[in-house]
Coordinates of all heavy atoms in Angstrom, one line a residue:
M15 N 0.8 -1.2 -0.1 CA -0.1 0.0 0.0 C 0.9 1.3 0.0 O 2.0 1.2 0.5 CB -0.9 -0.1 1.2 CG -2.0 1.0 1.2 SD -3.1 0.7 -0.2 CE -4.0 2.2 -0.1
A16 N 0.3 2.3 -0.6 CA 1.1 3.5 -0.6 C 1.3 4.2 0.7 O 0.5 4.1 1.6 CB 0.3 4.5 -1.6
N17 N 2.6 4.8 0.8 CA 2.9 5.5 2.0 C 2.8 6.9 2.0 O 2.9 7.6 3.0 CB 4.4 5.1 2.4 CG 4.5 3.7 2.7 OD1 3.7 3.1 3.4 ND2 5.6 3.0 2.3
H18 N 2.6 7.5 0.9 CA 2.5 9.0 0.8 C 1.1 9.4 0.4 O 0.4 8.7 -0.3 CB 3.5 9.5 -0.2 CG 5.0 9.3 0.1 ND1 5.6 9.9 1.0 CD2 5.8 8.2 -0.2 CE1 6.8 9.5 1.2 NE2 7.0 8.4 0.4
K19 N 0.8 10.6 0.8 CA -0.5 11.1 0.5 C -0.7 11.4 -1.0 O -1.7 11.1 -1.6 CB -0.7 12.5 1.2 CG -2.1 13.1 1.2 CD -2.2 14.3 2.1 CE -3.6 14.7 2.3 NZ -3.7 15.9 3.2
S20 N 0.4 11.8 -1.7 CA 0.3 12.0 -3.2 C 0.2 10.7 -3.9 O -0.5 10.6 -4.9 CB 1.6 12.8 -3.6 OG 2.7 12.0 -3.3
A21 N 0.7 9.7 -3.3 CA 0.6 8.4 -4.0 C -0.8 7.8 -3.9 O -1.3 7.2 -4.9 CB 1.6 7.4 -3.4
L22 N -1.4 8.1 -2.7 CA -2.8 7.7 -2.6 C -3.7 8.5 -3.5 O -4.6 7.9 -4.2 CB -3.3 7.9 -1.2 CG -2.6 7.0 -0.1 CD1 -3.0 7.5 1.2 CD2 -3.1 5.6 -0.3
K23 N -3.4 9.8 -3.7 CA -4.2 10.6 -4.7 C -4.0 10.1 -6.1 O -4.9 9.9 -6.9 CB -3.7 12.0 -4.6 CG -4.2 12.8 -3.3 CD -3.6 14.2 -3.4 CE -3.8 15.0 -2.2 NZ -3.2 16.3 -2.2
R24 N -2.7 9.7 -6.4 CA -2.5 9.2 -7.7 C -3.2 7.9 -8.0 O -3.7 7.7 -9.1 CB -0.9 9.0 -7.9 CG -0.4 8.7 -9.2 CD -0.5 10.1 -10.0 NE -0.4 9.8 -11.4 CZ -0.8 10.4 -12.4 NH1 -1.3 11.7 -12.2 NH2 -0.6 10.2 -13.6
I25 N -3.3 7.0 -7.0 CA -4.0 5.8 -7.2 C -5.5 6.1 -7.5 O -6.0 5.4 -8.4 CB -3.9 4.8 -6.0 CG1 -2.5 4.3 -5.9 CG2 -4.9 3.8 -6.0 CD1 -2.1 3.7 -4.5
R26 N -6.0 7.0 -6.8 CA -7.5 7.4 -7.1 C -7.6 7.9 -8.5 O -8.5 7.6 -9.2 CB -7.9 8.4 -6.1 CG -8.1 7.7 -4.7 CD -9.0 8.7 -3.8 NE -8.5 10.1 -3.7 CZ -7.7 10.5 -2.7 NH1 -7.3 9.6 -1.8 NH2 -7.3 11.7 -2.7
R27 N -6.8 8.7 -8.9 CA -6.8 9.4 -10.1 C -6.6 8.4 -11.3 O -7.3 8.5 -12.3 CB -5.7 10.6 -10.3 CG -5.9 11.4 -11.5 CD -5.0 12.5 -11.6 NE -5.2 13.3 -12.8 CZ -5.1 12.8 -14.1 NH1 -4.6 11.6 -14.3 NH2 -5.4 13.7 -15.0
N28 N -5.7 7.5 -11.1 CA -5.4 6.5 -12.1 C -6.6 5.7 -12.4 O -6.9 5.3 -13.5 CB -4.2 5.7 -11.7 CG -2.9 6.3 -11.9 OD1 -2.7 7.3 -12.6 ND2 -1.9 5.8 -11.3
E29 N -7.3 5.3 -11.3 CA -8.5 4.5 -11.5 C -9.6 5.3 -12.2 O -10.3 4.7 -13.1 CB -9.1 4.1 -10.1 CG -10.3 3.2 -10.1 CD -10.1 1.9 -10.8 OE1 -8.9 1.5 -11.0 OE2 -11.2 1.2 -11.2
A30 N -9.8 6.5 -12.0 CA -10.8 7.4 -12.6 C -10.4 7.5 -14.1 O -11.3 7.4 -15.0 CB -10.8 8.8 -12.0
V31 N -9.2 7.7 -14.4 CA -8.8 7.8 -15.9 C -8.9 6.5 -16.5 O -9.3 6.4 -17.7 CB -7.2 8.3 -15.8 CG1 -6.7 8.2 -17.2 CG2 -7.1 9.7 -15.3
R32 N -8.5 5.4 -15.9 CA -8.7 4.1 -16.5 C -10.2 3.8 -16.9 O -10.5 3.3 -18.0 CB -8.2 3.0 -15.5 CG -8.3 1.6 -16.0 CD -7.8 0.6 -15.0 NE -8.9 0.4 -14.1 CZ -10.0 -0.5 -14.3 NH1 -10.1 -1.2 -15.4 NH2 -10.9 -0.6 -13.3
L33 N -11.1 4.2 -16.0 CA -12.5 4.0 -16.2 C -13.0 4.8 -17.4 O -13.8 4.4 -18.3 CB -13.4 4.3 -15.0 CG -13.2 3.1 -13.9 CD1 -13.9 3.6 -12.6 CD2 -13.6 1.8 -14.3
R34 N -12.4 6.2 -17.4 CA -12.8 7.0 -18.5 C -12.3 6.5 -19.9 O -13.0 6.4 -20.9 CB -12.3 8.4 -18.3 CG -12.8 9.4 -19.2 CD -12.3 10.8 -19.0 NE -12.2 11.1 -17.6 CZ -11.1 11.5 -17.0 NH1 -10.0 11.6 -17.6 NH2 -11.1 11.8 -15.6
N35 N -11.0 6.0 -19.9 CA -10.5 5.5 -21.1 C -11.2 4.3 -21.5 O -11.5 4.1 -22.7 CB -9.0 5.1 -20.9 CG -8.1 6.3 -20.8 OD1 -8.5 7.4 -21.1 ND2 -6.9 6.1 -20.2
R36 N -11.7 3.3 -20.6 CA -12.4 2.2 -20.9 C -13.7 2.4 -21.5 O -14.2 1.9 -22.5 CB -12.5 1.3 -19.6 CG -12.6 -0.1 -20.0 CD -12.6 -0.9 -18.7 NE -14.0 -1.2 -18.3 CZ -14.3 -1.7 -17.0 NH1 -13.4 -2.0 -16.2 NH2 -15.5 -1.9 -16.8
Y37 N -14.4 3.5 -20.9 CA -15.7 3.9 -21.5 C -15.5 4.4 -22.9 O -16.3 4.1 -23.8 CB -16.3 5.0 -20.6 CG -17.5 5.6 -21.1 CD1 -18.7 5.0 -21.0 CD2 -17.5 6.9 -21.7 CE1 -19.9 5.5 -21.6 CE2 -18.6 7.5 -22.2 CZ -19.8 6.8 -22.2 OH -20.9 7.3 -22.7
Q38 N -14.6 5.4 -23.1 CA -14.4 5.9 -24.5 C -14.1 4.9 -25.5 O -14.6 4.9 -26.7 CB -13.3 7.0 -24.4 CG -13.8 8.2 -23.6 CD -12.6 9.2 -23.4 OE1 -11.5 8.9 -23.6 NE2 -13.0 10.4 -23.0
H39 N -13.2 3.9 -25.1 CA -12.7 2.9 -26.0 C -13.9 2.0 -26.4 O -14.1 1.6 -27.5 CB -11.6 2.1 -25.4 CG -10.8 1.3 -26.4 ND1 -9.8 0.5 -26.0 CD2 -11.0 1.1 -27.7 CE1 -9.3 -0.1 -27.1 NE2 -10.0 0.2 -28.1
K40 N -14.7 1.6 -25.4 CA -15.9 0.7 -25.7 C -16.9 1.4 -26.5 O -17.5 0.8 -27.4 CB -16.5 0.4 -24.3 CG -17.6 -0.7 -24.5 CD -17.2 -2.0 -25.0 CE -18.3 -3.0 -25.1 NZ -17.8 -4.2 -25.6
T41 N -17.2 2.7 -26.2 CA -18.2 3.5 -27.0 C -17.7 3.5 -28.5 O -18.5 3.4 -29.4 CB -18.3 5.0 -26.4 OG1 -18.6 4.8 -25.1 CG2 -19.3 5.8 -27.2
T42 N -16.4 3.8 -28.7 CA -15.8 3.8 -30.1 C -16.0 2.5 -30.8 O -16.4 2.4 -31.9 CB -14.4 4.3 -30.0 OG1 -14.3 5.5 -29.4 CG2 -13.9 4.4 -31.4
R43 N -15.7 1.4 -30.0 CA -15.9 0.1 -30.6 C -17.3 -0.2 -31.0 O -17.5 -0.8 -32.1 CB -15.3 -1.0 -29.7 CG -13.8 -1.0 -29.6 CD -13.3 -2.4 -29.0 NE -14.0 -2.7 -27.7 CZ -13.4 -2.6 -26.6 NH1 -12.3 -1.9 -26.4 NH2 -14.1 -3.0 -25.5
N44 N -18.2 0.2 -30.2 CA -19.6 0.0 -30.6 C -20.0 0.9 -31.8 O -20.8 0.4 -32.6 CB -20.5 0.4 -29.4 CG -20.5 -0.6 -28.3 OD1 -20.1 -1.8 -28.5 ND2 -20.8 -0.2 -27.1
A45 N -19.5 2.1 -31.9 CA -19.8 2.8 -33.0 C -19.2 2.2 -34.3 O -19.8 2.3 -35.4 CB -19.2 4.3 -32.8
I46 N -18.0 1.6 -34.2 CA -17.4 1.0 -35.4 C -18.2 -0.2 -35.8 O -18.5 -0.4 -37.0 CB -15.9 0.5 -35.0 CG1 -15.0 1.8 -34.9 CG2 -15.4 -0.4 -36.1 CD1 -13.7 1.5 -34.3
K47 N -18.7 -1.0 -34.8 CA -19.5 -2.2 -35.1 C -20.9 -1.7 -35.8 O -21.3 -2.3 -36.8 CB -19.8 -3.0 -33.8 CG -18.7 -3.7 -33.4 CD -19.1 -4.4 -32.0 CE -17.8 -5.1 -31.4 NZ -18.1 -5.5 -30.0
K48 N -21.4 -0.6 -35.3 CA -22.6 -0.1 -35.8 C -22.4 0.3 -37.4 O -23.2 0.1 -38.2 CB -23.2 1.1 -35.1 CG -24.5 1.7 -35.6 CD -25.0 2.8 -34.7 CE -26.2 3.4 -35.3 NZ -26.5 4.6 -34.6
L49 N -21.2 0.9 -37.6 CA -21.0 1.5 -38.9 C -20.6 0.2 -40.0 O -21.1 0.2 -41.0 CB -19.7 2.4 -38.9 CG -19.2 2.9 -40.3 CD1 -20.2 3.7 -41.0 CD2 -17.9 3.6 -40.1
R50 N -20.0 -0.9 -39.4 CA -19.7 -2.1 -40.2 C -21.0 -2.8 -40.6 O -21.0 -3.4 -41.7 CB -18.7 -3.0 -39.5 CG -17.3 -2.5 -39.5 CD -16.4 -3.5 -39.1 NE -15.0 -3.0 -39.2 CZ -14.1 -3.1 -38.3 NH1 -14.4 -3.7 -37.2 NH2 -12.9 -2.7 -38.5
T51 N -22.0 -2.8 -39.7 CA -23.3 -3.5 -40.0 C -24.3 -2.7 -40.8 O -25.3 -3.2 -41.1 CB -23.9 -4.0 -38.7 OG1 -24.1 -2.8 -37.8 CG2 -23.0 -5.0 -37.9
E52 N -23.9 -1.4 -41.0 CA -24.8 -0.5 -41.6 C -25.0 -0.9 -43.1 O -24.0 -1.1 -43.8 CB -24.4 0.9 -41.6 CG -25.3 1.9 -42.2 CD -26.6 2.0 -41.4 OE1 -26.7 2.2 -40.3 OE2 -27.7 1.8 -42.2
G53 N -26.2 -1.2 -43.6 CA -26.4 -1.7 -45.0 C -26.6 -0.5 -46.0 O -26.3 -0.7 -47.2
N54 N -27.1 0.6 -45.4 CA -27.4 1.7 -46.3 C -26.2 2.6 -46.5 O -25.6 3.1 -45.6 CB -28.5 2.5 -45.7 CG -29.1 3.6 -46.6 OD1 -28.6 3.9 -47.7 ND2 -30.2 4.2 -46.2
K55 N -25.8 2.9 -47.8 CA -24.6 3.7 -48.0 C -24.7 5.1 -47.5 O -23.8 5.6 -46.9 CB -24.3 3.6 -49.6 CG -23.0 4.4 -49.9 CD -22.6 4.3 -51.3 CE -21.4 5.1 -51.6 NZ -20.2 4.2 -51.9
K56 N -25.9 5.7 -47.7 CA -26.1 7.1 -47.3 C -25.9 7.3 -45.8 O -25.3 8.2 -45.3 CB -27.4 7.6 -47.7 CG -27.7 9.1 -47.6 CD -29.0 9.5 -48.1 CE -28.7 10.0 -49.6 NZ -29.8 10.7 -50.2
D57 N -26.6 6.3 -45.0 CA -26.4 6.4 -43.6 C -25.0 6.1 -43.1 O -24.5 6.7 -42.2 CB -27.3 5.3 -43.0 CG -28.8 5.7 -43.1 OD1 -29.1 6.8 -43.4 OD2 -29.7 4.8 -43.0
A58 N -24.3 5.2 -43.8 CA -22.9 4.9 -43.4 C -22.0 6.1 -43.7 O -21.2 6.4 -42.9 CB -22.5 3.7 -44.2
E59 N -22.3 6.8 -44.8 CA -21.4 8.0 -45.1 C -21.7 9.0 -44.0 O -20.7 9.9 -43.8 CB -21.7 8.5 -46.5 CG -21.2 7.6 -47.6 CD -21.5 8.1 -49.0 OE1 -22.7 8.8 -49.1 OE2 -20.9 7.7 -49.9
A60 N -22.9 9.2 -43.6 CA -23.2 10.1 -42.6 C -22.5 9.8 -41.2 O -22.2 10.7 -40.5 CB -24.7 10.3 -42.4
L61 N -22.5 8.5 -41.0 CA -21.9 8.0 -39.8 C -20.4 8.1 -39.7 O -19.8 8.3 -38.6 CB -22.4 6.7 -39.5 CG -22.3 6.0 -38.1 CD1 -23.1 6.9 -37.0 CD2 -22.8 4.6 -38.0
L62 N -19.8 8.0 -40.8 CA -18.3 7.8 -40.9 C -17.5 9.0 -40.3 O -16.6 8.7 -39.5 CB -17.9 7.6 -42.4 CG -16.4 7.4 -42.6 CD1 -15.9 6.1 -42.0 CD2 -16.0 7.4 -44.2
P63 N -17.8 10.3 -40.5 CA -17.1 11.3 -39.9 C -17.1 11.3 -38.4 O -16.0 11.5 -37.8 CB -17.7 12.6 -40.5 CG -18.4 12.2 -41.7 CD -18.8 10.7 -41.5
S64 N -18.2 11.0 -37.8 CA -18.2 10.9 -36.3 C -17.3 9.8 -35.8 O -16.7 9.9 -34.7 CB -19.6 10.8 -35.8 OG -20.2 9.6 -36.1
V65 N -17.3 8.6 -36.5 CA -16.6 7.5 -36.0 C -15.1 7.8 -36.2 O -14.3 7.5 -35.3 CB -16.9 6.2 -36.8 CG1 -16.0 5.1 -36.4 CG2 -18.4 5.8 -36.4
V66 N -14.7 8.4 -37.3 CA -13.4 8.8 -37.5 C -12.8 9.8 -36.4 O -11.8 9.7 -36.0 CB -13.1 9.3 -38.9 CG1 -11.8 10.1 -39.1 CG2 -13.3 8.3 -40.0
S67 N -13.8 10.7 -36.0 CA -13.4 11.7 -35.0 C -13.2 10.9 -33.7 O -12.2 11.3 -33.0 CB -14.5 12.7 -34.9 OG -14.3 13.5 -33.8
M68 N -14.0 10.0 -33.4 CA -13.8 9.2 -32.1 C -12.5 8.5 -32.2 O -11.8 8.5 -31.1 CB -15.0 8.2 -32.0 CG -16.3 8.9 -31.7 SD -17.7 7.7 -31.8 CE -17.7 7.1 -30.2
I69 N -12.2 7.8 -33.3 CA -10.9 7.1 -33.4 C -9.7 8.0 -33.2 O -8.7 7.7 -32.6 CB -10.8 6.4 -34.7 CG1 -11.9 5.2 -34.7 CG2 -9.4 5.8 -35.0 CD1 -12.0 4.6 -36.1
D70 N -9.8 9.2 -33.9 CA -8.7 10.3 -33.7 C -8.5 10.7 -32.3 O -7.4 10.9 -31.9 CB -9.0 11.4 -34.6 CG -8.8 11.2 -36.1 OD1 -7.9 10.3 -36.4 OD2 -9.3 11.8 -36.9
R71 N -9.7 10.8 -31.6 CA -9.6 11.2 -30.2 C -8.9 10.2 -29.3 O -8.1 10.5 -28.5 CB -11.0 11.5 -29.7 CG -11.0 12.5 -28.6 CD -12.5 13.0 -28.2 NE -13.2 13.4 -29.3 CZ -14.4 13.0 -29.7 NH1 -15.0 12.0 -29.0 NH2 -15.0 13.5 -30.7
L72 N -9.2 8.9 -29.6 CA -8.5 7.9 -28.9 C -7.0 7.8 -29.2 O -6.2 7.6 -28.2 CB -9.1 6.5 -29.2 CG -10.5 6.2 -28.8 CD1 -10.9 4.8 -29.3 CD2 -10.7 6.3 -27.3
A73 N -6.7 8.0 -30.4 CA -5.2 8.0 -30.7 C -4.5 9.2 -30.2 O -3.4 9.1 -29.6 CB -5.0 8.0 -32.3
K74 N -5.2 10.4 -30.1 CA -4.6 11.6 -29.6 C -4.3 11.4 -28.1 O -3.3 11.9 -27.5 CB -5.5 12.8 -29.8 CG -5.0 14.0 -29.3 CD -5.9 15.2 -29.6 CE -6.9 15.4 -28.6 NZ -7.8 16.5 -28.7
R75 N -5.2 10.7 -27.3 CA -5.0 10.5 -25.9 C -4.2 9.2 -25.6 O -4.2 8.7 -24.5 CB -6.4 10.4 -25.3 CG -7.1 11.8 -25.4 CD -8.5 11.7 -24.8 NE -9.2 13.0 -25.0 CZ -10.4 13.2 -25.0 NH1 -11.2 12.2 -24.9 NH2 -10.9 14.4 -25.2
N76 N -3.6 8.5 -26.6 CA -2.9 7.4 -26.4 C -3.6 6.2 -25.8 O -3.1 5.3 -25.1 CB -1.6 7.6 -25.5 CG -0.6 8.5 -26.2 OD1 -0.4 8.3 -27.5 ND2 -0.1 9.5 -25.6
I77 N -4.9 6.2 -26.1 CA -5.7 5.0 -25.7 C -5.5 3.9 -26.7 O -5.4 2.7 -26.3 CB -7.2 5.4 -25.6 CG1 -7.4 6.5 -24.4 CG2 -8.1 4.1 -25.3 CD1 -8.7 7.1 -24.4
I78 N -5.3 4.2 -28.0 CA -5.0 3.3 -29.0 C -3.8 3.9 -29.7 O -3.6 5.1 -29.7 CB -6.1 2.9 -30.0 CG1 -6.5 4.2 -30.8 CG2 -7.2 2.2 -29.3 CD1 -7.5 3.9 -31.8
H79 N -2.9 3.0 -30.3 CA -1.8 3.5 -31.1 C -2.2 4.2 -32.4 O -3.3 3.9 -32.9 CB -0.9 2.2 -31.5 CG 0.4 2.6 -31.9 ND1 0.8 2.9 -33.2 CD2 1.6 2.6 -31.1 CE1 2.0 3.1 -33.2 NE2 2.6 3.0 -32.0
S80 N -1.4 5.2 -32.8 CA -1.8 6.0 -34.0 C -1.8 5.1 -35.3 O -2.7 5.4 -36.1 CB -0.8 7.1 -34.2 OG 0.6 6.6 -34.2
N81 N -1.0 4.1 -35.3 CA -1.0 3.2 -36.5 C -2.3 2.4 -36.5 O -2.9 2.2 -37.6 CB 0.1 2.2 -36.5 CG 1.4 3.0 -36.9 OD1 1.5 4.2 -37.1 ND2 2.6 2.2 -36.8
K82 N -2.7 2.0 -35.4 CA -4.0 1.2 -35.3 C -5.2 2.2 -35.7 O -6.1 1.7 -36.4 CB -4.3 0.7 -33.9 CG -5.6 0.0 -33.8 CD -5.9 -0.7 -32.4 CE -7.2 -1.2 -32.3 NZ -7.2 -2.5 -31.9
A83 N -5.1 3.4 -35.3 CA -6.1 4.4 -35.7 C -6.2 4.6 -37.1 O -7.3 4.5 -37.8 CB -5.9 5.7 -35.0
A84 N -5.0 4.7 -37.8 CA -4.9 4.8 -39.2 C -5.5 3.7 -39.9 O -6.2 3.8 -41.0 CB -3.5 5.2 -39.7
N85 N -5.1 2.4 -39.5 CA -5.6 1.2 -40.1 C -7.2 1.1 -39.9 O -7.8 0.8 -41.0 CB -5.0 0.0 -39.4 CG -3.5 -0.1 -39.8 OD1 -3.1 0.3 -40.8 ND2 -2.8 -0.8 -38.9
L86 N -7.7 1.4 -38.8 CA -9.1 1.4 -38.6 C -9.9 2.4 -39.6 O -10.8 2.0 -40.3 CB -9.5 1.7 -37.2 CG -9.4 0.6 -36.1 CD1 -9.5 1.2 -34.8 CD2 -10.3 -0.5 -36.4
K87 N -9.4 3.6 -39.6 CA -10.0 4.6 -40.5 C -9.9 4.1 -42.0 O -10.9 4.3 -42.7 CB -9.3 6.0 -40.3 CG -9.6 6.6 -39.0 CD -9.1 8.0 -38.8 CE -7.6 8.1 -39.1 NZ -7.2 9.5 -38.8
S88 N -8.8 3.6 -42.4 CA -8.7 3.1 -43.7 C -9.6 2.1 -44.1 O -10.3 2.1 -45.1 CB -7.2 2.7 -44.0 OG -7.0 2.1 -45.3
K89 N -9.7 1.1 -43.2 CA -10.6 0.0 -43.6 C -12.1 0.3 -43.5 O -12.8 -0.1 -44.3 CB -10.3 -1.2 -42.5 CG -9.1 -1.9 -42.6 CD -8.8 -2.9 -41.6 CE -7.5 -3.6 -41.8 NZ -7.1 -4.5 -40.7
L90 N -12.4 1.3 -42.6 CA -13.8 1.8 -42.6 C -14.2 2.6 -43.8 O -15.2 2.5 -44.3 CB -14.0 2.6 -41.3 CG -14.1 1.9 -39.9 CD1 -14.1 2.8 -38.8 CD2 -15.3 0.9 -39.9
A91 N -13.2 3.4 -44.3 CA -13.5 4.2 -45.5 C -13.6 3.3 -46.7 O -14.5 3.5 -47.6 CB -12.3 5.1 -45.7
K92 N -12.8 2.2 -46.8 CA -12.9 1.3 -47.9 C -14.3 0.6 -47.8 O -14.9 0.3 -48.8 CB -11.8 0.2 -47.8 CG -10.4 0.8 -48.4 CD -9.3 -0.2 -48.2 CE -9.5 -1.5 -49.0 NZ -8.3 -2.4 -48.9
H93 N -14.7 0.2 -46.6 CA -15.9 -0.5 -46.4 C -17.2 0.4 -46.8 O -18.0 -0.1 -47.6 CB -16.1 -0.9 -45.0 CG -17.4 -1.5 -44.6 ND1 -17.8 -2.7 -44.9 CD2 -18.5 -1.0 -43.9 CE1 -19.1 -3.0 -44.6 NE2 -19.5 -1.9 -44.0
V94 N -17.1 1.7 -46.4 CA -18.2 2.6 -46.8 C -18.2 2.8 -48.3 O -19.2 2.8 -49.0 CB -18.1 3.9 -46.1 CG1 -19.0 4.9 -46.5 CG2 -18.4 3.7 -44.6
A95 N -17.0 2.9 -49.0 CA -17.0 3.2 -50.3 C -17.4 2.0 -51.2 O -18.0 2.1 -52.3 CB -15.5 3.4 -50.8
A96 N -17.3 0.7 -50.6 CA -17.7 -0.5 -51.3 C -19.2 -0.8 -51.3 O -19.7 -1.6 -51.9 CB -17.0 -1.6 -50.8
L97 N -19.9 0.0 -50.3 CA -21.3 -0.2 -50.2 C -22.1 0.2 -51.4 O -21.7 1.1 -52.2 CB -21.9 0.5 -48.9 CG -21.5 -0.1 -47.6 CD1 -22.1 0.8 -46.5 CD2 -22.1 -1.4 -47.4

C-alpha cells in the first residue's frame, strides 16, 4: 500500500482515468460495429465522420496506437466506399 498522500491521490486518479479510457474505447468500438453493420450507403457515409473523429480522439489520448487508428480509418473508409 502507498505510504505517501500524493501516492494515494495518484491511485485514485489513475482509477478514474482508467474507467474513462475504458468507457471511451468501448463506445468507439460500438460505433465501429454499428458502422460495419450498416447496410445503407447514405447512412454509413453520414456516420463515418463521427466514427473517424472518435478514433482520432482515442489516438490523440494514447488510448490506442496511432497506426491502429490509421488502419481502422482506412478499413472503414474502404468499407463505406464499397457499399
